């Protein structure tokens, strides 16, 4: 049996959820195990059970969010955002406070130290052409290739991409528009 090696650091995240909930940057194998144990079996704020996890390469670069509507193989960008997040070391159970309060004493989990992502801000990118913003333009072109590779022909998509020194790299694709509080208050 072939063994696949994991290069640390990695990002551990549940396969369900949104808004970096329960997403942890891990430096050691013990960090990975702690990250999984802290939330395994709980529900996200989207009321999805956390029962599977994804380990991703820890990417360094500029993060982009690209929202698209597709119809009959034609992709139309609705909005593009440049995201700024900070890594912060926190001591927490990583369980929402109201969930922790309603748990039986024997089910409560002790806090542990972990590194998580905290949103600083997002900037709307009004033009993504090759002249105005070549990096954002390259990200949009990459997203279209990802959607084509996934044979995504109809519906909304929300794709997160890191623009690294090696070019764009996929973080995730979701079959929906952006979630949470609208980022465009200042634009409306």
């Amino acid at each position: 049996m072939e063994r696949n090696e994991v290069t640390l650091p990695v990002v551990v995240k549940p396969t369900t959820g949104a808004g970096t909930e329960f997403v942890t940057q891990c430096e050691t194998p013990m960090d990975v195990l702690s990250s999984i144990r802290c939330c395994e079996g709980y529900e996200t704020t989207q009321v999805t059970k956390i029962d599977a996890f994804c380990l991703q390469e820890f990417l360094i670069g500029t993060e982009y969010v690209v929202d698209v509507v597709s119809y009959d193989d034609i992709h139309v960008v609705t909005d593009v955002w440049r995201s700024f997040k900070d890594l912060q070391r926190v001591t927490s159970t990583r369980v929402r406070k109201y969930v922790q309060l309603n748990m039986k004493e024997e089910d409560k989990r002790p806090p542990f130290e972990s590194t998580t992502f905290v949103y600083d801000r997002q900037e709307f990118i009004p033009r993504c052409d090759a002249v105005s913003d070549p990096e954002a333009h390259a990200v949009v072109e990459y997203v279209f290739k990802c959607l084509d590779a996934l044979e995504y022909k109809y519906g909304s998509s929300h794709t997160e991409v890191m623009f690294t020194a090696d070019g764009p790299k996929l973080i995730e694709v979701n079959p929906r528009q952006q979630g949470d509080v609208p980022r465009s208050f200042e634009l409306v």
Side-chain angles (χ1 to χ4, degrees), residues 38-39 45-46 68-69 74 82 99 108 127-128 134 139 181:
C38 85
C39 55
T45 52
Q46 290 77 42
V68 172
V69 174
I74 298 171
R82 192 174 284 121
V99 173
K108 290 188 178 180
R127 295 187 55 151
C128 294
V139 167
V181 178

Side-chain angles (χ1 to χ4, degrees), residues 29-57:
M30 186 52 80
D31 287 346
V32 172
L33 187 59
S34 295
S35 177
I36 291 170
R37 284 185 176 161
C38 85
C39 55
E40 191 172 36
Y42 284 111
E43 288 185 348
T44 67
T45 52
Q46 290 77 42
V47 196
T48 56
K49 188 172 181 180
I50 302 172
D51 57 6
F53 298 86
C54 172
L55 265 67
Q56 291 183 316
E57 175 185 6

Side-chain angles (χ1 to χ4, degrees), residues 102-116:
N102 292 322
M103 293 172 73
K104 296 176 186 171
E105 202 57 44
E106 62 269 15
D107 292 334
K108 290 188 178 180
R109 298 187 181 187
F112 72 100
E113 195 173 344
S114 64
T115 303
T116 189

Side-chain angles (χ1 to χ4, degrees), residues 57-167:
E57 175 185 6
F58 179 71
L59 300 171
I60 297 172
T62 304
E63 185 175 336
Y64 288 86
V65 172
V66 181
D67 291 317
V68 172
V69 174
S70 301
Y71 181 81
D72 202 20
D73 286 331
I74 298 171
H75 308 301
V76 178
V77 173
T78 60
D79 51 291
V80 178
W81 300 86
R82 192 174 284 121
S83 297
F84 298 89
K85 296 178 187 172
D86 293 323
L87 281 173
Q88 290 190 2
R89 199 78 179 151
V90 298
T91 301
S92 167
T93 62
R94 302 293 297 276
V95 178
R96 295 177 311 280
K97 286 184 182 180
Y98 77 88
V99 173
Q100 186 83 8
L101 289 172
N102 292 322
M103 293 172 73
K104 296 176 186 171
E105 202 57 44
E106 62 269 15
D107 292 334
K108 290 188 178 180
R109 298 187 181 187
F112 72 100
E113 195 173 344
S114 64
T115 303
T116 189
F117 298 85
V118 177
Y119 282 94
D120 178 19
R121 68 188 187 286
Q122 289 186 307
E123 295 175 353
F124 177 69
I125 302 172
R127 295 187 55 151
C128 294
D129 58 68
V131 174
S132 300
D133 196 326
E135 188 174 286
H137 179 74
V139 167
V140 169
E141 294 298 313
Y142 177 77
V143 166
F144 287 171
K145 288 177 184 176
C146 291
L147 293 173
D148 288 342
L150 292 168
E151 298 181 6
Y152 201 87
K153 298 178 183 198
Y154 297 94
S156 299
S157 60
H158 173 83
T159 305
E160 297 172 14
V161 173
M162 187 72 73
F163 193 89
T164 70
D166 298 326

